[in-house]
Amino acid sequence: SSMIAYAYEDAIDWTITDVSKEDDEQKRESKLAILLDLCKGADYMMMEKLKTQVDCKIVSGARLFINLANVEDVEQRASDSGAVLVEKYCVDFIGANRQAVR
């Protein structure tokens, strides 16, 4: 588990969650789910540094991860796990695409 590795080594191999334009939608969804779960776990375990790293990782790939179909779910999950950067990105995305999201 990434959280256990982080707890003992303070380092994570992020390559499994790197998102690219070549990834299909299913692969992107899977990577985003891993990151959101990791963020939630880090929040629960009060691992602020890890939570911040995950938050930044998601935002760095947000254009590939977040879309009209998932933005509301991602916003809720980000809010639930204290991923403030992701939550803000989603709020801004919804604001900019209000007609399409609703």
Side-chain angles (χ1 to χ4, degrees):
S1 158
S2 295
M3 283 187 52
I4 293 170
Y6 182 83
Y8 289 100
E9 300 168 15
D10 199 35
I12 290 182
D13 177 7
W14 294 105
T15 56
I16 63 165
T17 59
D18 286 343
V19 65
S20 72
K21 291 178 185 174
E22 289 75 37
D23 291 340
D24 62 27
E25 186 176 338
Q26 184 177 8
K27 195 171 222 174
R28 290 178 191 177
E29 288 175 6
S30 175
K31 290 177 179 184
L32 178 58
I34 290 168
L35 288 167
L36 288 169
D37 289 346
L38 183 57
C39 192
K40 178 73 173 176
D43 183 57
Y44 179 78
M45 301 296 287
M46 294 182 280
M47 301 170 85
E48 290 300 316
K49 183 177 173 188
L50 177 59
K51 183 173 76 171
T52 299
Q53 288 176 338
V54 177
D55 197 11
C56 290
K57 179 76 174 168
I58 296 170
V59 168
S60 72
R63 289 179 178 248
L64 297 173
F65 281 135
I66 300 170
N67 55 55
L68 292 171
N70 71 5
V71 67
E72 291 177 314
D73 180 55
V74 173
E75 179 193 8
Q76 184 61 54
R77 291 189 67 189
S79 175
D80 292 346
S81 61
V84 294
L85 299 176
V86 176
E87 185 177 10
K88 181 181 181 338
Y89 181 92
C90 290
V91 167
D92 292 348
F93 184 96
I94 291 168
N97 297 283
R98 187 166 314 282
Q99 298 290 39
V101 173
R102 301 289 170 192

